[in-house]
Amino acid sequence: MGADETWPLRPDSPAHYSATKAMAEQRVRRAAGNGFETVVVRPRLVWGPGDTTLLPPIAKAMDSGRFAWIGGGRHLTSTTHVDNVIEGLMLGAERGRSGEAYFVTDGDPPVTRLAVWLSSQECTLDISKARRELDYEPVISRDQGLAALSE
């Protein structure tokens, strides 16, 4: 899929979380100007050490035998390790253009089974704009992040 920042936001989404995020982003981006600078950084499915919302339910489902592959295990989805979120936020503050939005992820679309489980809808993000305008590169790979969680 490779969605980039030009794809339309969905303030009309039936998912309240997604709808309210879209509405908030629209307001933040419209506020740019007249000496007020705004930059939006968009991570997807944030994970890493200390996570209490994303990875623990997956591990619990696997341990209890209630884990199921959604879509037959073929969907891809982008993820963002917390260290990569921080890198994106810092670069957005330092180099981002006011009124713009930037996707930040772990880099290439994931192909791991963990990532497949994270979403029932295929969703990969194109981070070319952040790479080009912010000089963003993930500071930790998915494999490095997963290895750190098992230590």
Side-chain angles (χ1 to χ4, degrees):
M1 176 170 18
D4 69 13
E5 294 83 356
T6 63
W7 283 41
L9 294 174
R10 294 295 312 268
D12 61 337
S13 171
H16 296 297
Y17 177 77
S18 300
T20 57
K21 279 183 67 170
M23 286 185 260
E25 179 175 321
Q26 287 174 328
R27 289 182 181 198
V28 166
R29 292 180 75 186
R30 280 196 306 260
N34 297 322
F36 189 67
E37 295 184 13
T38 66
V39 174
V40 173
V41 174
R42 298 178 182 166
R44 172 150 170 82
L45 291 174
V46 178
W47 66 283
D51 176 17
T52 60
T53 59
L54 190 62
L55 294 179
I58 294 170
K60 184 177 179 181
M62 291 177 82
D63 290 344
S64 69
R66 297 176 54 126
F67 180 83
W69 292 111
I70 298 171
R74 293 178 303 275
H75 292 138
L76 298 177
T77 191
S78 292
T79 59
T80 315
H81 187 277
V82 66
D83 290 353
N84 293 328
V85 174
I86 293 166
E87 180 74 0
L89 290 169
M90 296 298 291
L91 291 171
E94 294 169 5
R95 301 177 184 167
R97 288 185 292 133
S98 185
E100 292 295 318
Y102 299 91
F103 283 128
V104 296
T105 69
D106 293 330
D108 296 327
V111 293
T112 64
R113 289 179 168 236
L114 168 64
V116 172
W117 190 90
L118 294 175
S119 176
S120 63
Q121 302 267 331
E122 184 166 335
C123 181
T124 60
L125 305 175
D126 180 345
I127 60 173
S128 298
K129 181 178 177 184
R131 282 183 160 142
R132 184 176 59 253
E133 294 185 18
L134 305 179
D135 291 327
Y136 172 80
E137 283 299 326
V139 295
I140 187 169
S141 72
R142 186 172 311 97
D143 289 341
Q144 291 169 323
L146 289 171
L149 287 176
S150 65
E151 292 176 353

